[in-house]
Amino acid sequence: MTPCADAAHHAPDPVAPSGPYPAPGGTPAGRDAVPYAAVPHAAVLDGREPARGTPDGHSAAARRVPSPRIARLVARLAAHGADPAAHEAELARFWAEVADSGTPLVEPLPGEPEHRAVTFLWRGGPGTHTVLLLANRLIDRSDYTSGLLERVPGTDVWHLCYRLRSDHRGSYRIAADRDPATRPGAPAPVPGPGSGSGEGAEEPSTAQTRLRALVPSAVRDPLNPRTVATRWHGPPGSVFALPDAPPQPWAARRDGVARGTVARHRLASRALDAEREVWVRLPPRPWPAELDVLILLDGDMWFGQLGAEHLFDNLHADGAVRPLAVLAPHAVDNPTRMREFGGRQAYTDFLTEELLPWAAARLPLTADPARTTVAGQSLGGLTALYAGLGQRGDRVGNVIGQSPSLWWHPGVGPGIPPHTGEGEQWLTREFTTSPVRAGLRLRIDAGVHEGAMATMARALHTRLRERGYAVTHTEFNGGHDYVCWSGALADGLAALHTP
C-alpha cells in the first residue's frame, strides 16, 4: 500500500464502507460526534464528557507513552548526523515498513505482557501544522489537545502512542490541518506537541475551538485498510484490534455460505403517525414451522451501511442460532431518532403492537416471547430495555441493550444533560418500581472506556439482579463503537437463541 501524502491536501481516496466484517482472520470493523459511530451529540459532565474514561487504576486505562518505533527512528536519524540524503533514505525505509505492516503500529512493552504500545501515524506534507487523532473514547473531547499528534522534527512523521491493554478494539479517524499560508481562508492552526512552534501558545479555549472546527474534516487512516461505516453516512473510520481482543468468528463475509435475503418494506404506523421503512432479513430456506424473531433498532445502519446480513448468514451456517427473522426499522434521521427513541410508549407500541403483528401476518414467526428479542445500541439500547419493560403484553421475552444511554429521562432536551452520572437513573427507577416481568431475560453490554455510561450500566445490572431478573452484564475493552457492538450482538444472540 502506498503511503498517502498529507490527506488535507486533497480529497481522500474513495473507500467503500466495508462494514464491521473484514476478511477472515482480520479485525472486525465498527456518533456521538465525529468519528463515533453511534449518537451524534457531544456534551460535558463537570468538564468531562460523560461517556469516556476508565476508573482510576483500571488495567485498561489508556495512557500516552513514548513510541518504541519512533524512538528507534529518531536514534537512526541522529546516527546519520546532518546528512540529508541519509535522512531521506531512512525515512523512505520507515514509510515502506509502515506501508507493509499497516497502522497503527503495535509493539510489546517490556515487562508488561498484558499491554501494548500502539502508535498512530500520519504522513504530513510541507504545510501540515496540526494533526488530530479522534479515537473512540480514548481522547478527551472536552480537551482536543489530548489527541494531538507530535511531529518528529524535520520529517513528515507525525505520531501519537498509547499504552493499551492487549484486548482493546476500537475505531478512529484523523484530521490534518495545513498552515494557513498554504490554505487561504483557513483559521490559524493550533500548535501541537513537537510541532516546533513554541511561541504564541494559545489559550486553551481558543485551541479547543479551533480543533473542534477541524473535526468535521477527519478521514480514515490512509495507512490502514480496515474501515467501518459511520452513522448518518459520514466518512468511514478506521479499525484496529489488539492481539487479545475477543474473537468475532461470525463477522467476516464467507464464501460458500448459504445466503439469506434482505428486503425493504414500508409500514404505516398509527403509534408514530408516520410511515417507517423496515429492513426484513430472512434466513436461507428451508425454514422450520416458526422462525425466531429479532427486532434490531437502527436498521438503516446495520443493513444500510454495515452489511449485517453477513453476520446473520454466518450465525445460521454455524448453527449458532435457530433460524432467525430480523425486523430492523429505519431510524430516519438524528432529530427523528432523538424524538422517538428513549423510554417512549409510542415507539414501544410501534415495535410490539404494530411491527410484530405486521410481520407475523406475512411470515411464519413464532409468538413465543422466549424466542423473540429486541436489541439496540446507545439510545437504541435504552429504547430496547424500555420496550422489554413497557410493552403492553408479553410479546418480547429477551432484550439486548448495548451501551444504553441511561442518562435519558422524559423531558430531556437535545444532547446529553449535565450531571449525567449523579443519582439513580430514570430507567433504573422504572425497573425498580414497576412489577417484575416474569420470564424477561436481559443482556447489557458496555465498554470499559465509556465512563459514566459504563458505571450506570453496572448499577442497572445490580438493580435488575436484586429484583430477580435473569440478566447478563458484559464489558468489552473498547468504547461506544459498532466495532465492539457487532461482536457482542452476535454473542448475545447465540446465548439467547441457542438451537
Side-chain angles (χ1 to χ4, degrees):
M1 179 178 179
T2 302
C4 177
D6 184 3
H9 288 256
H10 53 79
D13 297 334
V15 179
S18 65
Y21 318 111
T27 310
R31 156 180 136 150
D32 263 12
V34 177
Y36 306 117
V39 184
H41 43 248
V44 297
L45 169 62
D46 296 332
R48 295 186 62 216
E49 58 186 335
R52 176 193 174 273
T54 53
D56 290 342
H58 196 289
S59 64
R63 186 173 77 239
R64 286 184 73 144
V65 296
S67 166
R69 183 63 185 90
I70 296 300
R72 294 195 297 274
L73 173 64
V74 170
R76 290 173 183 172
L77 291 172
H80 292 303
D83 184 345
H87 282 201
E88 184 176 348
E90 191 66 55
L91 288 170
R93 281 193 294 272
F94 171 79
W95 286 118
E97 290 175 7
V98 169
D100 184 59
S101 67
T103 53
L105 306 179
V106 178
E107 300 177 272
L109 285 166
E112 297 191 70
E114 295 183 353
H115 292 83
R116 298 290 187 276
V118 182
T119 304
F120 297 87
L121 293 171
W122 185 263
R123 190 170 192 176
T128 304
H129 197 285
T130 302
V131 182
L132 176 63
L133 174 69
L134 296 161
N136 193 312
R137 293 305 187 266
L138 293 183
I139 72 158
D140 183 352
R141 286 180 291 146
S142 67
D143 177 15
Y144 277 120
T145 62
S146 67
L148 286 172
L149 276 67
E150 301 181 27
R151 181 188 177 197
V152 176
T155 76
D156 57 0
V157 178
W158 293 75
H159 61 95
L160 185 159
C161 183
Y162 280 116
R163 171 190 179 270
L164 297 175
R165 204 171 68 188
S166 60
D167 59 345
H168 191 102
R169 174 179 275 119
S171 64
Y172 65 99
R173 285 197 270 180
I174 300 175
D177 196 14
R178 292 183 294 150
D179 191 297
T182 61
R183 187 159 63 91
V190 180
S195 64
S197 21
E199 298 181 4
E202 292 182 301
E203 291 292 326
S205 60
T206 304
Q208 178 72 359
T209 298
R210 289 181 175 166
L211 288 172
R212 186 182 293 116
L214 187 61
V215 167
S217 66
V219 297
R220 54 103 178 174
D221 181 351
L223 299 169
N224 181 350
R226 297 161 296 180
T227 63
V228 61
T230 52
R231 200 65 177 103
W232 313 119
H233 297 275
S238 296
V239 180
F240 72 103
L242 299 190
D244 297 324
Q248 295 185 344
W250 298 297
R253 187 185 189 278
R254 301 178 190 168
D255 293 331
V257 168
R259 308 289 177 205
T261 61
V262 179
R264 295 163 72 170
H265 303 268
R266 295 195 70 83
L267 167 64
S269 169
R270 182 171 296 179
L272 301 179
D273 191 25
E275 280 195 342
R276 284 291 173 268
E277 195 169 48
V278 179
W279 274 258
V280 177
R281 189 272 175 191
L282 298 173
R285 292 180 182 270
W287 295 345
E290 294 181 336
L291 297 171
D292 283 27
V293 185
L294 168 65
I295 301 175
L296 181 59
L297 304 187
D298 291 301
D300 52 307
M301 182 65 177
W302 284 104
F303 289 102
Q305 294 186 254
L306 292 173
E309 55 269 24
H310 306 312
L311 176 78
F312 295 109
D313 287 343
N314 294 335
L315 284 168
H316 290 128
D318 288 354
V321 296
R322 292 184 293 269
L324 184 69
V326 184
L327 313 176
H330 196 309
V332 184
D333 53 37
N334 195 50
T336 303
R337 188 177 188 271
M338 292 294 294
R339 185 174 63 250
E340 294 182 349
F341 278 29
R344 304 186 196 275
Q345 192 62 47
Y347 203 80
T348 294
D349 289 347
F350 163 64
L351 299 176
T352 60
E353 302 293 312
E354 295 180 336
L355 177 59
L356 278 173
W358 171 86
R362 293 159 175 80
L363 298 165
L365 304 185
T366 182
D368 183 354
R371 295 171 55 191
T372 305
T373 296
V374 59
Q377 298 74 35
S378 192
L379 189 56
L382 178 129
T383 305
L385 289 165
Y386 181 77
L389 177 67
Q391 58 183 314
R392 297 186 188 278
D394 292 302
R395 185 63 183 83
V396 173
N398 308 302
V399 175
I400 300 175
Q402 299 187 290
S403 302
S405 296
L406 294 169
W407 49 263
W408 188 94
H409 59 81
V412 69
I416 304 173
H419 311 296
T420 290
E422 298 178 2
E424 189 172 60
Q425 305 307 307
W426 174 81
L427 186 62
T428 304
R429 291 196 301 271
E430 288 294 299
F431 270 106
T432 300
T433 58
S434 300
V436 172
R437 281 195 168 271
L440 183 64
R441 297 184 295 174
L442 304 105
R443 183 182 175 98
I444 303 170
D445 305 317
V448 299
H449 291 277
E450 295 195 77
M453 295 184 74
T455 301
M456 289 184 281
R458 295 181 202 112
L460 175 60
H461 169 248
T462 298
R463 183 57 52 86
L464 290 169
R465 287 189 62 188
E466 292 172 349
R467 298 224 65 204
Y469 280 102
V471 56
T472 300
H473 174 236
T474 69
E475 289 191 337
F476 48 81
N477 187 7
H480 205 72
D481 204 328
Y482 277 97
V483 305
C484 301
W485 295 334
S486 58
L489 175 65
D491 292 342
L493 293 174
L496 295 170
H497 293 267
T498 304

